[in-house]
Amino acid sequence: MRRPGGWWRVKSTPEKVETYTRWSFHFFGVIEILALGVTAYGRTGAGLATALCLLVTVHATACMLVSSRALDWTRGRRPQPVRPMWALVVVSAVVSITAVVIAERGPSGEVETAAGSVYGGVLCYAAGVITLGVRGWRRRVAVVGAFAVGAGLLTFPLEMPLLASVVLAGLVMVTGGFLAATSIFSLWLLNAVYALDEAKETRVRLAVAEERLRFGRDLHDVMGRNLAVIALKSELAVQLSRRGRPEAVEQMIEVQRIAQESQREVRDVVRGYREAALEVELAGARGVLSAAGIVSEVTGETGGLPAEVQSALGWVVREATTNVLRHGDAKKVAVTVRMSEGRVVLTVENDGVAETTGDGPGDSAGTGGPAGTGGSGLSGLRERLSAVDGTLEAGPVGRGVFRLTAEVPLPAAAAGAALGVAS
């Protein structure tokens, strides 16, 4: 069962910013209702105040709808909300004209103030919202300017002085422009967060590609020279065989030996045993995590460990790092190597664990899956550690923290040497 607030924790950072932005636009609608509709009850009678409040509520609802559709359009999920924007223009005109009629024909006094606030307020909010659905600063200025001009023209039935109409239009221009600038900046910030997240993913892919290139270079180093020697010796054996020379057999025996040696070296490269020093893997993990924008901390000594132990623990570091990049949303990864009672203990912790409901996949080391799931990542590491009598434990160890612990016993001589290096 998902804990309260789990829906927020499972969201990525861009999704959280988007949720905040969307509800900020909706909150603007709530502010409009409170500032223009509810306050009417303190300025005029209950009947007219209720009518004004209902008009403002309808207008605020239309603004919420348009802002939400415009945000989806900005993210490329919907077509441009042209019809909802024109519908908002119509609703704004109807609400403004109705407010003018109420101010003109209703009782004089405070009702004119209430209706006037609704009249100017809905035009300001509409101008700020509609700019979300257009691109280009010229078009946005034109939208705000059109609402300001419309606000001035609609005051003529009220027989307001020209100066008052100009001032009202200026207020709509300034207030609507401010709301538009605030809303557009929020969208710009949201797009920037998504762009940064995409850049982080790109860095991760580049880091993985760099690792593949390193593997390709190692494989080329192993096979390039040996294949060249095999080709030369095979050609020499062919020439000697054609001449009936007994040395051809010796050359083919040498070709066979080199081929077997190449096969062994390729297996070593594929299994990660070639140059699989723990210190090398830790340095590589630090570089990959740094390229992905993740802070990494490595503590402990790795010198004096047997080659087979370093190789097994190096695979743990490599697998855990890969899964943090692929499956988590970690900001910090801590790797600790320590000696304890004749055993070397490697701990990898990250803060990118996600909320799980118990039915999702948890098959990779370093992710937020539950401990003990029989996925290929953990199973593969356990198989490698079992070759050196090692054990592996993995699972959440607190709120938002995932820990992977590998323990490998050390031979007596190796343990003494390792403890001497550590001291």
Side-chain angles (χ1 to χ4, degrees), residues 330-350:
K331 303 296 185 297
K332 182 179 179 180
V333 176
V335 182
T336 305
V337 181
R338 59 185 176 88
M339 309 298 170
S340 175
E341 299 180 354
R343 303 176 68 86
V344 56
V345 182
L346 171 68
T347 304
V348 182
E349 287 189 0
N350 72 84

Side-chain angles (χ1 to χ4, degrees), residues 108 113 155 165 179 203 220 237 245 254 272 291 318-319 322 327 350 391:
S108 60
T113 303
T155 58
S165 299
L179 293 175
R203 289 196 300 269
H220 177 270
R245 301 283 296 274
E254 183 67 13
R318 183 182 301 180
E319 185 73 14
T322 300
H327 306 292
N350 72 84
T391 59

Side-chain angles (χ1 to χ4, degrees), residues 107-128:
S108 60
E110 293 182 348
V111 67
E112 295 181 356
T113 303
S117 300
V118 172
Y119 170 76
V122 296
L123 294 178
C124 293
Y125 278 100

Side-chain angles (χ1 to χ4, degrees), residues 250-311:
E250 296 178 0
Q251 295 297 326
M252 290 308 299
I253 292 175
E254 183 67 13
V255 167
Q256 183 183 23
R257 186 192 66 79
I258 296 174
Q260 292 174 348
E261 181 69 15
S262 299
Q263 186 179 18
R264 184 189 63 79
E265 290 182 350
V266 169
R267 283 198 299 265
D268 288 346
V269 171
V270 173
R271 292 175 182 175
Y273 293 148
R274 183 173 182 266
E275 297 181 357
L278 180 57
E279 186 66 31
V280 174
E281 294 301 330
L282 290 173
R286 188 185 296 110
V288 170
L289 293 171
S290 177
I294 301 175
V295 177
S296 60
E297 294 183 359
V298 180
T299 58
E301 294 292 337
T302 60
L305 298 177
E308 62 272 13
V309 174
Q310 291 204 35
S311 180

Side-chain angles (χ1 to χ4, degrees), residues 9 36 48 50 96 134 164 208-209 219-220 252 259 278 300 317 363 423:
R9 284 191 290 270
L36 303 180
L48 289 177
T50 301
S96 299
V134 296
V208 174
L219 191 61
H220 177 270
M252 290 308 299
L278 180 57
V317 173
D363 59 348
S423 61

Side-chain angles (χ1 to χ4, degrees), residues 200-216:
K200 177 182 177 181
E201 294 180 358
T202 302
R203 289 196 300 269
V204 171
R205 289 194 295 268
L206 289 175
V208 174
E210 179 64 25
E211 181 65 18
R212 291 176 178 173
L213 288 175
R214 186 184 69 84
F215 176 81

Side-chain angles (χ1 to χ4, degrees), residues 365-384:
T367 65
T373 52
S376 60
L378 295 178
S379 299
L381 291 180
R382 288 191 175 98
E383 290 177 2
R384 295 181 183 279

